[in-house]
């Protein structure tokens, strides 16, 4: 095993190969807000054996289309839209209906489901408005920036990006709260199929959203800022 990877930032490893996000999430390594840390440091925070994590990472091979670092703004925006925004549009309503049913049936025995549901609904409403804002207010501007066809209002763009990153922080807090309330989505012994399924979906939502935020905060926005300065 080469030690080179240990010296690289966790966020950069995910950008180079998004499949590694699954490995990091599984082992409790923050690649989103804590992405600016070397892997060697991040490994201290996990209870898993470092050699197992490194072996899992090494077994993943990046495909050409998943290597996003060299993408134009338009390609990146299209990728985020086609993958992450589409995922949220499909999944949020589905999880919402299922979680409500699980809360209504199991809430008496598992009162944490009420808080998990409330957090989820806030997250759903905020993310729905958020992706609409990105698609309407910023993605078209970034495509224009690629074409260099018109002068952009840099101050306005900077303001929108700041607002978007603050939305991301709020989403991260809600996800973290639900992770804690559900004990990292550990199913109780009496969990029925719907309960198990909704925890699986919520965990997937967490992973998806953290990767989505990571791509925007750590790849898309720095690319935009570099063009504005
Ligand atoms: Fe987005
Ligand atoms: Fe976003």
């Amino acid at each position: 095993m080469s030690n080179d990877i240990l010296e690289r930032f966790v966020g950069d490893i995910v950008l180079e190969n998004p499949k590694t996000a699954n490995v990091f999430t599984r082992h409790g390594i923050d690649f989103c807000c804590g992405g600016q840390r070397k892997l060697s440091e991040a490994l201290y925070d996990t209870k898993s054996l470092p050699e197992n994590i490194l072996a899992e990472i090494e077994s993943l091979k990046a495909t050409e289309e998943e290597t996003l670092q060299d993408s134009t703004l338009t390609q990146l925006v299209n990728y985020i839209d086609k993958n992450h925004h589409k995922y949220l549009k499909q999944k949020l309503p589905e999880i919402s209906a299922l979680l409500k049913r699980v809360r209504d049936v199991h809430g008496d025995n598992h009162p944490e489901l009420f808080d998990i549901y409330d957090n989820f609904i806030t997250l759903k409403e905020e993310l729905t408005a958020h992706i609409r804002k990105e698609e309407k207010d910023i993605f078209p501007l970034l495509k224009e920036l690629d074409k260099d066809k018109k002068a952009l209002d840099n101050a306005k763009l900077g303001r929108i990006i700041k607002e978007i990153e603050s939305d991301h922080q709020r989403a991260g807090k809600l996800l973290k709260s639900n992770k804690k309330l559900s004990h990292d989505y550990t199913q109780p012994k009496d969990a029925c199929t719907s309960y198990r399924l909704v925890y699986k979906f919520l965990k997937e939502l967490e992973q998806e959203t953290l990767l989505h935020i990571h791509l925007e905060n750590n790849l898309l926005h720095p690319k935009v800022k570099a063009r504005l300065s």
Side-chain angles (χ1 to χ4, degrees):
M1 166 70 61
S2 156
N3 282 332
D4 292 352
I5 195 165
L6 292 170
E7 295 306 308
R8 299 187 54 209
F9 289 125
V10 176
D12 291 343
I13 297 170
V14 174
L15 288 177
E16 189 178 283
N17 184 355
K19 286 180 188 169
T20 57
N22 293 341
V23 177
F24 290 136
T25 304
R26 212 167 36 246
H27 294 288
I29 292 177
D30 178 8
F31 60 84
C32 189
C33 302
Q36 294 305 309
R37 279 190 313 167
K38 286 180 182 175
L39 180 60
S40 55
E41 293 164 26
L43 287 174
Y44 284 118
D45 287 349
T46 167
K47 290 178 185 136
S48 310
L49 288 171
E51 54 267 38
N52 290 351
I53 299 175
L54 294 172
E56 281 183 50
I57 293 170
E58 198 157 78
S59 72
L60 299 170
K61 298 277 180 247
T63 63
E64 205 176 331
E65 65 175 28
E66 284 167 331
T67 304
L68 298 168
Q69 263 168 331
D70 298 328
S71 305
T72 62
L73 294 175
T74 304
Q75 286 167 334
L76 198 47
V77 157
N78 288 342
Y79 177 89
I80 290 169
D81 196 6
K82 197 172 127 233
N83 292 280
H84 299 291
H85 287 203
K86 189 176 168 198
Y87 166 85
L88 288 174
K89 286 171 194 166
Q90 283 177 344
K91 275 288 180 184
L92 288 174
E94 197 181 326
I95 298 173
S96 179
L98 189 60
L99 185 57
K100 186 172 184 302
R101 277 209 304 280
V102 170
R103 181 203 65 177
D104 290 347
V105 174
H106 296 275
D108 287 345
N109 291 333
H110 299 283
E112 70 278 10
L113 285 169
F114 287 93
D115 287 337
I116 291 172
Y117 180 77
D118 290 347
N119 276 342
F120 170 79
I121 291 299
T122 307
L123 182 71
K124 174 176 176 275
E125 285 166 3
E126 292 195 1
L127 281 180
T128 303
H130 176 80
I131 59 175
R132 202 180 299 133
K133 176 163 57 183
E134 286 179 330
E135 289 170 14
K136 191 171 143 286
D137 295 346
I138 194 166
F139 287 179
L141 292 180
L142 302 190
K143 289 180 181 175
E144 287 296 328
L145 199 55
D146 255 350
K147 291 183 208 157
D148 271 331
K149 276 193 178 159
K150 66 174 187 183
L152 292 175
D153 182 342
N154 290 4
K156 183 183 166 198
L157 202 50
R159 258 197 324 275
I160 301 174
I161 287 180
K162 216 169 160 188
E163 204 181 300
I164 282 174
E165 291 186 355
S166 138
D167 291 350
H168 289 166
Q169 259 190 348
R170 268 205 312 282
K173 279 186 188 157
L174 288 164
L175 288 167
K176 204 168 178 180
S177 173
N178 268 0
K179 188 186 183 85
K180 199 171 168 202
L181 285 164
S182 64
H183 303 286
D184 197 10
Y185 303 104
T186 306
Q187 297 145 6
K189 286 200 177 96
D190 60 343
C192 63
T193 305
S194 297
Y195 204 145
R196 287 204 292 268
L197 193 62
V198 86
Y199 266 22
K200 181 174 170 274
F201 285 164
L202 285 171
K203 198 173 171 78
E204 180 189 84
L205 173 70
E206 178 200 56
Q207 193 171 308
E208 248 294 323
T209 308
L210 290 180
L211 179 57
H212 178 182
I213 290 174
H214 170 66
L215 283 179
E216 291 174 353
N217 279 4
N218 301 325
L219 185 61
L220 182 66
H221 296 173
K223 270 180 191 276
V224 177
K225 286 172 192 164
R227 297 277 283 276
L228 295 181
S229 53

